[in-house]
Amino acid sequence: MSLTDALRQLWRYRYALVGVPLLLTGAIFFFTRHEKKVYASEMTIYTGIASGYTLSGNAESDFFRTSNAFDNLLSLIKSRETREEVAYRLLAHHLQLGDSLDAQLLSWPTLSHLHELLPVRLRARLTGPTLPETLRRVRAYAAASDDNELYRLLNSHDDVYSVEALGRVAAARINSSDLIRLEYEAGDAAVCRHTLQLTTQVFSEQYRGLRVDQTQAVIRYYERETDKALRALSAAESRFLAFNKDNDIINYYEQTKYIAGEREYLNSDINKIEMQYAAARAALRTVNGKLAGRAAAILSSGELLGQRHRLEALQAELANQEVFARQREGGSSSALVPALRAEVAATTAAMHTTLTTHYAQVGTVEGMPSKSLLEQWLQNLIAATENEAKLAVMQKRKGEFMAEYHKMAPLGATLKIIEREIDLAQKTYLVLLNHLNDSKASQQNNELTTELKVVAPAFRPLHPRSGKRKLLLAGGAFGGFFFVAALVLGAGLLDGSLRKPSIAARHTGLPVLGVVPMPLAPVPAAGTYEQSSLHHLTRQLLRQRGSAAPGQPFVVAVASTRRHEGKTSLTQALAARCAALGLRTVALYPAGTGLAPETPNPEAAAEFYDAARAAVQLPALADLSPAAAAAELVLLELPALLEDDYPVSLLTPVRVVVLALRADRRWESKDQQALQGLRAATAYSVEVVLTGVDAFDGREVLA
């Protein structure tokens, strides 16, 4: 469909294009004459979710986490629980006023509306001495039954107190900032502002409670587990202390190290002293063997034996003090050691003096001086006595060390088990304590970050918002116009009728001889579209007169596949026009066309024939109408091809077949079949005359 066709299609339905928008506009104007005034308010809240400050510094930027946090917050604002709580508080504030008015909370119409909704007895029952008590009563009464007045009010369509009305609180994040905006519309300016304030209080409390309660359960868990771990650690440490006390352990590993070291040291000293002792004994036996006679008597004297016993006792005590000196703090020697050494030296000197006093110049068996042997004997005696004393003390000490060693050895396994229990309990305690501290820090952080701050508080609007009436009127006008236009254009696009010559030629495959309007008068008025279309069709038809045989009439058949295609009117108009041009014209009509034989046609002769009989008897044209043989132009109207029988014999002299087609119908397959039968019955051309075509579409064939 071209633009011109679209405009013509719209112009054709211009009254509907104007009437429907006017009707819609009028209906909207009538039904919105009582439109209520609407007040709107808004407030802005800072959340700090995306870039707020936390205990660990500035909040990290995480798009998905931030988006999830804002979604949770906005969902909480729009949740039914939030709306119900706001409705409870709003109703409690209004009930607390009683019959008085507070312009900051509501207006007189709203107060009167509340009195209409709830009877006096119910209001008195719900109103308490304080606002918290009133709120408690409202909650309890609403939850007591799902069929009482308050429950029905909350779940109704009321514009003030219903959950549905509070669902008009719109919440949205402002771009990608930390701010959210709340908007609300109501018929009361004070209620509009107060509702936003209550909504902020309710969802702030719920948001803070949800965030804090998330960590409270975790904290309680870690507190219980940390206390259990601490008790287990204390019990293990108590067992460790008791074990050390029972076994006289100060530091097990140092003690065992010391015992092992002392054992090795003693073994080394014992080996060395044993060798020295053996050497001294051997030397002493050798000297004793060399001494004889009087020298031996000197050694056996009572005085020297006493001094010898004294020296042995002193050596034993000195060895005992020196061996045990390493075990004393700092490894320092005892204060008795110097005195003992002095006594040993004094005793040794005394023995030397005794030997000198009793000395007598005697010789040995080998001829050696006795004095030299006595000195050797004294030295070896002192060495043997000293080493014997040390060896005895060290052997005793070795026995003590071995006893201690055998005592400490099995304690290590038990001590390791206890230490492992302590280590495990300590690690468990420290891990749980760390988690507990993290959870408490997270709870504190949630308490800090869930403090929502009102940046721009709700305001009380002074003027109502412009209503939607003008918008609805404009929408109705434009919507009605475009709806009708869309229907008209859609119908035009889906129209499959033969509405103009080019479409008819494409669907039928036949040339279009001309177009005529309907209804068509036999003699159209001068200067009209009907006259010009008829004259054009007549000229196109008479141009084909040359195909007629000399002396024979020019026969034109006017046919149609169906009835009511306008062929009778077309035949009448052609006959009248050709007769007016001076041609002897005869028009043959099938009986039953609706034309009476006496129909006035002053210029053309009109005759009627029985089409059914002619289809059976197959008469010639001259036999059917003697007047047709003397005429110059014969217009033969045939019955409808799909509905009646038509005389095939009459098509023999026909030189042109005019197929009348109504422009407002479709070309169907049965029409094509009828056309094929008609074309098989005549050797001459079949051309289309499109009837019922308006002047604009007719311009395709009219000059």
Side-chain angles (χ1 to χ4, degrees):
M1 179 183 291
S2 64
L3 178 61
T4 305
D5 293 338
L7 293 176
R8 291 198 68 257
Q9 187 79 356
L10 294 176
W11 178 254
R12 181 179 300 173
Y13 294 94
R14 58 188 178 274
Y15 296 111
L17 287 172
V18 175
V20 172
L22 289 177
L23 180 62
L24 287 176
T25 303
I28 293 172
F29 183 83
F30 176 78
F31 288 111
T32 59
R33 65 188 186 276
H34 300 303
E35 182 183 20
K36 296 181 179 180
K37 295 181 179 180
V38 176
Y39 295 88
S41 181
E42 65 179 32
M43 66 187 309
T44 304
I45 299 174
Y46 175 77
T47 62
I49 294 176
S51 60
Y53 197 81
T54 65
L55 291 177
S56 58
N58 290 326
E60 295 182 0
S61 179
D62 186 339
F63 174 78
F64 294 103
R65 182 178 180 182
T66 301
S67 178
N68 182 57
F70 273 105
D71 290 343
N72 292 338
L73 182 58
L74 296 179
S75 299
L76 182 62
I77 295 173
K78 299 175 183 179
S79 66
R80 180 177 178 85
E81 290 74 12
T82 301
R83 288 182 284 162
E84 285 183 352
E85 182 61 24
V86 172
Y88 293 150
R89 297 190 182 188
L90 185 65
L91 186 60
H93 278 84
H94 292 177
L95 289 173
Q96 196 66 26
L97 296 176
D99 294 332
S100 60
L101 177 67
D102 187 349
Q104 300 298 321
L105 299 181
L106 76 170
S107 60
W108 276 115
T110 304
L111 185 61
S112 301
H113 177 65
L114 176 61
H115 291 173
E116 294 175 359
L117 293 174
L118 302 178
V120 177
R121 182 177 298 176
L122 180 58
R123 294 202 307 271
R125 178 180 177 182
L126 296 177
T127 304
T130 61
L131 181 60
E133 177 61 21
T134 302
L135 179 59
R136 187 195 64 79
R137 293 184 182 183
V138 169
R139 288 174 180 163
Y141 190 78
S145 170
D146 57 358
D147 194 34
N148 55 42
E149 300 88 339
L150 191 53
Y151 183 86
R152 290 197 299 269
L153 174 61
L154 295 176
N155 294 276
S156 66
H157 301 289
D158 188 75
D159 290 337
V160 180
Y161 303 105
S162 67
V163 175
E164 177 183 337
L166 295 175
R168 295 196 302 266
V169 177
R173 182 183 180 185
I174 301 177
N175 298 327
S176 58
S177 65
D178 283 337
L179 304 176
I180 59 173
R181 178 185 292 114
L182 300 181
E183 298 178 348
Y184 184 60
E185 295 180 356
D188 190 331
V191 170
C192 181
R193 178 182 63 179
H194 192 210
T195 301
L196 282 180
Q197 294 172 344
L198 292 177
T199 301
T200 303
Q201 295 175 6
V202 171
F203 86 79
S204 296
E205 294 173 1
Q206 293 180 345
Y207 180 65
R208 187 181 304 110
L210 287 176
R211 291 289 300 275
V212 173
D213 290 344
Q214 286 178 349
T215 56
Q216 190 62 40
V218 178
I219 290 175
R220 287 195 297 267
Y221 167 77
Y222 280 122
E223 285 179 344
R224 291 194 304 269
E225 295 301 317
T226 303
D227 186 61
K228 288 168 58 179
L230 181 59
R231 290 197 301 269
L233 178 59
S234 300
E237 289 177 343
S238 298
R239 288 198 303 273
F240 181 75
L241 179 61
F243 182 81
N244 287 344
K245 185 183 296 184
D246 294 340
N247 295 279
D248 297 327
I249 298 175
I250 299 175
N251 188 324
Y252 176 79
Y253 300 101
E254 291 296 329
Q255 286 180 254
T256 53
K257 180 179 178 183
Y258 171 76
I259 292 172
E262 286 296 320
R263 178 186 175 188
E264 295 298 325
Y265 179 77
L266 282 174
N267 289 334
S268 176
D269 286 352
I270 288 172
N271 291 333
K272 183 172 66 174
I273 292 173
E274 282 180 346
M275 289 187 293
Q276 293 175 358
Y277 178 64
R281 290 290 300 272
L284 186 61
R285 284 194 300 270
T286 302
V287 173
N288 285 331
K290 292 179 180 182
L291 291 175
R294 190 175 178 183
I298 296 173
L299 297 177
S300 301
S301 64
E303 182 180 3
L304 188 59
L305 288 175
Q307 291 174 346
R308 181 178 177 179
H309 292 318
R310 174 64 178 170
L311 178 61
E312 290 177 355
L314 291 174
Q315 289 287 4
E317 182 64 23
L318 178 60
N320 188 57
Q321 292 295 330
E322 287 180 347
V323 169
F324 286 93
R326 289 193 300 270
Q327 301 179 18
R328 296 188 180 93
E329 186 177 357
S332 60
S333 299
S334 173
L336 298 176
V337 173
L340 291 173
R341 286 178 178 173
E343 289 187 18
V344 169
T347 304
T348 302
M351 291 180 68
H352 189 270
T353 302
T354 301
L355 288 174
T356 301
T357 304
H358 294 284
Y359 171 73
Q361 186 65 33
V362 291
T364 64
V365 177
E366 293 83 3
M368 294 180 62
S370 296
K371 183 176 182 181
S372 175
L373 288 175
L374 289 174
E375 290 179 356
Q376 289 181 12
W377 177 83
L378 181 60
Q379 292 176 1
N380 291 327
L381 177 64
I382 293 172
T385 303
E386 179 180 2
N387 290 327
E388 183 182 8
K390 288 183 178 180
L391 185 60
V393 172
M394 286 184 176
Q395 289 293 347
K396 180 181 178 183
R397 186 57 182 161
K398 181 180 178 180
E400 294 176 356
F401 270 115
M402 289 304 296
E404 188 70 19
Y405 184 83
H406 290 302
K407 174 186 176 183
M408 296 295 290
L411 297 180
T414 306
L415 192 63
K416 279 188 174 296
I417 294 174
I418 298 175
E419 288 178 346
R420 188 164 54 248
E421 291 179 357
I422 292 175
D423 184 63
L424 180 60
Q426 184 179 16
K427 289 181 178 179
T428 304
Y429 172 72
L430 292 177
V431 170
L432 292 173
L433 184 62
N434 184 50
H435 287 315
L436 177 60
N437 292 332
D438 290 343
S439 300
K440 289 185 177 180
S442 178
Q443 182 185 37
Q444 186 63 30
N445 186 67
N446 287 336
E447 292 178 356
L448 294 176
T449 57
T450 53
E451 286 292 337
L452 304 180
K453 299 179 180 179
V454 177
V455 177
F459 59 90
R460 179 178 181 178
L462 298 179
H463 304 286
R465 175 173 289 183
S466 56
K468 300 179 181 179
R469 191 180 192 188
K470 294 181 180 179
L471 183 62
L472 291 174
L473 291 174
F478 286 102
F481 177 82
F482 287 114
F483 177 74
V484 175
L487 288 179
V488 170
L489 294 177
L493 290 172
L494 299 175
D495 186 12
S497 63
L498 309 171
R499 60 182 181 273
K500 55 183 179 180
S502 59
I503 298 177
R506 184 172 69 253
H507 284 284
T508 62
L510 301 176
V512 178
L513 185 64
V515 297
V516 292
M518 293 301 291
L520 179 64
V523 182
T528 60
Y529 163 61
E530 289 84 351
Q531 186 188 54
S532 62
S533 62
L534 180 61
H535 288 181
H536 176 268
L537 177 60
T538 304
R539 289 194 300 271
Q540 296 297 322
L541 189 62
L542 294 179
R543 285 193 182 117
Q544 303 184 39
R545 284 184 63 196
S547 62
Q552 295 295 324
F554 177 55
V555 181
V556 177
V558 181
S560 66
T561 59
R562 306 178 189 182
R563 295 177 182 176
H564 309 296
E565 298 284 349
K567 62 180 181 294
T568 300
S569 299
L570 177 62
T571 303
Q572 281 185 299
L574 286 174
R577 176 57 183 165
C578 292
L581 294 176
L583 296 175
R584 295 190 302 276
T585 304
V586 175
L588 296 177
Y589 301 99
T593 58
L595 292 176
E598 61 274 8
T599 299
N601 192 346
E603 288 128 356
E607 295 185 5
F608 296 88
Y609 69 94
D610 190 345
R613 181 179 297 179
V616 176
Q617 297 178 357
L618 301 178
L621 182 62
D623 298 334
L624 187 65
S625 174
E632 295 178 300
L633 174 65
V634 177
L635 296 174
L636 175 62
E637 180 181 345
L638 299 176
L641 301 180
L642 292 173
E643 301 176 10
D644 299 305
D645 295 330
Y646 58 92
V648 180
S649 61
L650 297 180
L651 295 176
T652 302
V654 172
R655 294 298 180 266
V656 178
V657 178
V658 175
L659 183 63
L661 293 176
R662 197 171 70 248
D664 60 351
R665 76 174 183 89
R666 295 174 177 267
W667 179 257
E668 299 178 358
S669 59
K670 59 184 179 181
D671 296 316
Q672 187 68 30
Q673 293 175 0
L675 175 61
Q676 290 176 357
L678 179 63
R679 296 181 72 173
T682 179
Y684 291 93
S685 63
V686 179
E687 300 185 30
V688 173
V689 173
L690 203 59
T691 63
V693 181
D694 57 22
F696 181 82
D697 292 333
R699 292 187 304 174
E700 290 187 357
V701 296
L702 297 179

